[in-house]
Amino acid sequence: MLTLAIIKPDALQARNAGKILAQLEAAGFVVRAARLVKLTTTQAEAFYEVHRARPFYRPLVTFMTSGPALVLALERDNAVAHLRDVIGATDPAEAKPGSVRKLYGASKERNAIHASDSPETAAREVAFFFAEGELRELG
Ligand code: CMP
């Protein structure tokens, strides 16, 4: 099963991307596709469309377009639930010890990494960034 992760601009800026990717690989995820992107405002707005009515939407779009981000299509069994477990709670202060957000996040907004929140969202989010032909074959 595939899920989408985005190592966010705060983590790239702090040069934590390599450590985060190593942690994801150690947790059993295989990178099927990866791209360094600088999201446009239109892309970030579309990606976070479900949050459009929330007070944090505009600052989130501004933050996500503030610098490069590393987008990853990740494979493992039960990928969505496992990735959410590895990254921890949205608020780094509440994330479990050793989780990516606890280790590298600074705030609810600057929380180092995004992960898809359901299998349906994962399918949409992977397709948002990657065409079928861009996914590396397993094996
Ligand atoms: P992410 O997994 O990228 O999905 C939506 C993002 O919105 C979330 O991580 C946070 O970065 C951000 N977010 C969610 N809730 C809040 C909040 N209360 N304040 C600021 N940002 C938030």
Side-chain angles (χ1 to χ4, degrees):
M1 180 204 234
L2 274 172
T3 191
L4 189 90
I6 305 177
I7 301 180
K8 294 186 179 186
D10 58 323
L12 267 285
Q13 175 73 33
R15 303 192 190 182
N16 287 326
K19 283 177 277 187
I20 293 171
L21 182 54
Q23 187 170 349
L24 300 180
E25 289 190 321
F29 292 93
V30 172
V31 178
R32 296 280 309 279
R35 186 180 302 127
L36 193 65
V37 299
K38 185 155 188 303
L39 292 176
T40 65
T41 298
T42 305
Q43 282 176 313
E45 285 175 349
F47 186 80
Y48 283 120
E49 179 62 38
V50 342
H51 298 303
R52 188 174 282 273
R54 310 293 285 274
F56 58 81
Y57 177 74
R58 189 51 53 190
L60 177 64
V61 167
T62 300
F63 164 59
M64 289 299 291
T65 56
S66 66
L70 183 60
V71 186
L72 304 166
L74 299 173
E75 177 95 31
R76 74 152 283 180
D77 65 291
N78 205 5
V80 170
H82 277 299
L83 186 59
R84 293 181 69 74
D85 184 60
V86 170
I87 75 173
T90 302
D91 185 348
E94 291 167 13
K96 69 175 180 178
S99 64
V100 173
R101 285 167 167 167
K102 177 61 101 186
L103 289 168
Y104 306 112
S107 67
K108 273 190 217 174
E109 179 180 275
R110 300 173 67 83
N111 64 353
I113 190 166
H114 164 82
S116 307
D117 66 3
S118 71
E120 297 71 32
T121 310
R124 179 183 84 82
E125 291 184 351
V126 170
F128 187 95
F129 286 104
F130 299 111
E132 197 73 39
E134 292 179 290
L135 299 174
R136 154 189 159 196
E137 300 289 330
L138 288 177

